[in-house]
């Protein structure tokens, strides 16, 4: 039985492609689609195994390719001859094969060959995808996600200062803000955030145009070895952080920096379960995808009874979701006024009893140092190197570094 092919080809190339596909006994064009919406609908209806689409098709980006993959449909992209970037964009978006858009029968035959190659490289029955191979030691950097439950336990302060401590070792660091509820990294470090770098990087990734040079341009240098990728300036801009394209950003970031430290939002709720349209953007997907991509997760809780209770529940939630297997637990603002005369001992006992955590990093409250750092838009290392809070966060950074074995990248993009 011929295998179904979906066509979304623009201009005069459409008739050439359709005729060539139908002339092959192994293939049959089952739907000629006018736009991406029709193409995705046909794919989800199971009308084809392969889609052939023009690179100029509007909104054909990484997210659309992921939707095709989810429906079990491969993509052969047709690169425009008059646009040198067309082929690069299609490959970056994840097309299974890319060939020039045909203008004669020979070109159409090349399209048929590409379709057959894509089918031959994929099992007829889709099996669960195997995990990707681990990167070669020393070839790429590591991603560190900084997460904590609701209640402002100090995720951003920890993320900024962990990034600064890692950069102080001479390693290249990219600090990114992926909090879709209240991103504030740019304000903490004193940068304007009118043009959020992460949203721009996600847009480039969705178009298949993000590379190390582009990402470096979007992430200004904050201090020696430390770059920043600012978050969205308003909470209502969260749909700009497409989760599928965000995966590409973190992948490219591994080639840009030895460490990518990401401040993420608190909520892990699988909000797609609350929507009838499972292809609609999901607000918490940016957090969940980042946690999935992270090599280490720094889990931040508040050093008060409510904060500890939320931290214990958060640790359970992460475990239930299979996230943060490699983790550093950090309790912030540990102080006697809410934890008793021996606050560190009380917090340690509570975590050991209720969460089985016996090696948490306890950060003493140092309001004077943290207020000064926030006022001057600097890190604790800069304003109060002897602060107990700074020393504890430096310990957390050292523990993060000890949990991964890959050495520093040989080069740093300037």
């Amino acid at each position: 039985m011929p295998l179904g092919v979906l066509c979304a080809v623009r201009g005069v190339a459409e008739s050439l492609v359709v005729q060539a596909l139908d002339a092959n006994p192994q293939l049959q064009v089952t739907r000629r689609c006018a736009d991406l919406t029709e193409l995705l609908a046909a794919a989800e209806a199971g009308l084809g195994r392969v889609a052939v689409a023009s690179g100029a098709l509007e909104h054909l980006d990484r997210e659309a390719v992921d939707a095709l993959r989810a429906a079990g449909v491969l993509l052969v992209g047709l690169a425009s001859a008059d646009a040198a970037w067309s082929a690069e964009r299609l490959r970056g978006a994840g097309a299974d094969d890319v060939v020039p858009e045909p203008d004669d029968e020979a070109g159409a035959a090349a399209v048929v060959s590409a379709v057959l190659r894509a089918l031959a490289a994929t099992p007829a029955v889709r099996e669960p995808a195997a995990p990707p191979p681990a990167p070669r030691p020393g070839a790429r950097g590591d991603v560190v996600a900084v997460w904590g439950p609701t209640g402002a336990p100090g995720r951003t302060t920890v993320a900024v200062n962990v990034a600064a401590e890692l950069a102080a070792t001479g390693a290249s660091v990219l600090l990114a803000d992926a909090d879709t509820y209240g991103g504030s990294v740019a304000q903490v470090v004193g940068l304007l955030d009118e043009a959020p770098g992460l949203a721009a990087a996600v847009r480039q990734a969705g178009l298949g145009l993000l590379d190390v040079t582009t990402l470096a341009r979007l992430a200004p240098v904050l201090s020696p070895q430390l770059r920043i990728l600012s978050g969205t300036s308003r909470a209502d801009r969260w749909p700009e952080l497409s989760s599928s394209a965000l995966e590409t950003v973190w992948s490219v970031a591994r080639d840009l920096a030895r460490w990518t430290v990401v401040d993420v939002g608190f909520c892990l709720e699988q909000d797609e379960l609350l929507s009838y349209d499972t292809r609609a953007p999901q607000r918490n997907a940016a957090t969940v995808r980042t946690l999935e991509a992270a090599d280490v997760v720094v889990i931040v809780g508040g050093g008060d009874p409510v904060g500890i209770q939320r931290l214990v529940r958060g640790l359970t939630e992460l475990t239930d979701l299979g996230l943060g297997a490699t983790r550093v637990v950090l309790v912030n603002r540990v102080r006697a006024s809410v934890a008793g005369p021996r606050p560190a001992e009380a917090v340690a006992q509570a975590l050991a009893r209720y969460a089985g955590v016996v090696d948490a990093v306890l950060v003493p409250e140092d309001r004077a140092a943290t207020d000064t750092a926030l006022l001057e838009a600097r890190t604790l290392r800069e304003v109060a190197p002897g602060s107990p809070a700074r020393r504890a966060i430096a310990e957390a950074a050292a523990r993060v570094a000890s949990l991964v074995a890959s050495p520093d990248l040989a080069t740093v993009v300037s």
Side-chain angles (χ1 to χ4, degrees):
M1 181 177 178
L3 294 172
V5 181
L6 308 174
C7 280
V9 181
R10 296 288 184 85
V12 297
E14 182 187 27
S15 59
L16 288 169
V17 170
V18 171
Q19 290 174 15
L21 289 169
D22 281 341
N24 189 294
Q26 301 178 60
L27 306 171
Q28 180 182 3
V29 176
T30 53
R31 179 65 62 88
R32 298 168 72 166
C33 306
D35 53 28
L36 181 62
T37 300
E38 187 177 356
L39 176 63
L40 293 175
E44 291 174 357
L47 299 182
R49 285 286 316 284
V50 184
V52 178
S54 297
L57 192 67
E58 191 173 6
H59 304 308
L60 182 61
D61 55 16
R62 184 82 190 193
E63 192 167 3
V65 175
D66 283 352
L68 289 172
R69 291 260 172 78
V73 176
L74 306 171
L75 175 64
V76 173
L78 306 184
S80 302
D82 57 349
W85 51 265
S86 181
E88 181 181 352
R89 174 195 170 194
L90 286 166
R91 292 190 183 94
D96 295 278
D97 204 344
V98 178
V99 293
E101 193 169 74
D103 55 10
D104 55 25
E105 292 182 0
V111 175
V112 174
S113 298
V115 170
L116 295 174
R117 281 197 305 271
L119 288 167
T122 306
V125 178
R126 299 183 77 238
E127 299 176 355
R136 293 182 294 106
R140 314 192 78 199
D142 292 289
V143 175
V144 180
V146 180
W147 177 86
T150 187
R155 290 184 305 270
T156 300
T157 297
V158 170
V160 169
N161 285 282
V162 164
E165 296 296 336
L166 291 171
T169 67
S172 56
V173 179
L174 175 66
L175 172 62
D177 189 346
D179 187 345
T180 55
Y181 286 86
S184 56
V185 169
Q187 291 88 341
V188 168
V189 299
L191 291 182
L192 297 176
D193 60 349
E194 281 81 358
L198 183 57
V202 167
R203 283 194 295 272
Q204 293 297 306
L207 294 172
L209 301 177
L210 186 69
D211 56 18
V212 173
T213 303
T214 302
L215 184 59
R217 188 179 70 249
L218 295 171
V221 174
L222 183 64
S223 64
Q225 303 293 3
L226 179 58
R227 293 177 176 273
I228 180 170
L229 200 59
S230 59
T232 53
S233 55
R234 297 187 333 205
D236 60 357
R237 295 182 63 180
W238 65 264
E240 296 180 32
L241 302 185
S242 160
S243 60
S244 56
L246 200 58
E247 289 183 3
T248 301
V249 175
W250 302 146
S251 178
V252 175
R254 292 178 185 273
D255 295 324
L256 173 64
R258 170 64 185 87
W259 298 102
T260 299
V261 179
V262 189
D263 181 17
V264 298
F266 69 92
C267 191
L268 302 176
E269 183 180 34
Q270 303 295 294
D271 48 4
E272 63 266 19
L273 299 178
L274 307 179
S275 172
Y276 290 107
D277 184 359
T278 57
R279 290 188 52 246
Q282 307 301 328
R283 184 167 195 169
N284 302 327
T287 294
V288 174
R289 289 288 184 93
T290 301
L291 290 170
E292 290 172 345
D295 300 284
V296 182
V297 177
V298 177
I299 303 167
V300 183
D304 56 80
V306 175
I308 294 297
Q309 181 189 51
R310 288 171 172 168
L311 175 59
V312 170
R313 292 178 177 175
L315 289 167
T316 301
E317 189 175 4
L318 281 175
T319 301
D320 291 344
L321 293 173
L323 301 172
T326 303
R327 59 180 61 169
V328 174
V329 178
L330 182 150
V331 182
N332 198 25
R333 299 186 62 200
V334 176
R335 56 203 187 277
S337 58
V338 292
R342 293 192 293 274
E345 182 179 334
V347 168
Q349 289 177 351
L351 286 178
R353 179 177 180 181
Y354 297 109
V357 175
V358 296
D359 59 349
V361 176
L362 306 182
V363 180
E365 168 136 60
D366 189 345
R367 176 60 65 184
T370 53
D371 282 356
T372 300
L374 185 59
L375 175 64
E376 299 181 9
R378 299 164 69 194
T379 65
L380 287 172
R381 182 181 182 86
E382 294 172 312
V383 301
S387 162
R390 181 258 157 176
R391 290 199 299 267
I393 292 177
E395 177 190 342
R399 196 174 298 182
V400 166
S402 71
L403 289 174
V404 293
S406 53
D408 290 353
L409 293 178
T411 59
V412 178
V413 176
S414 60

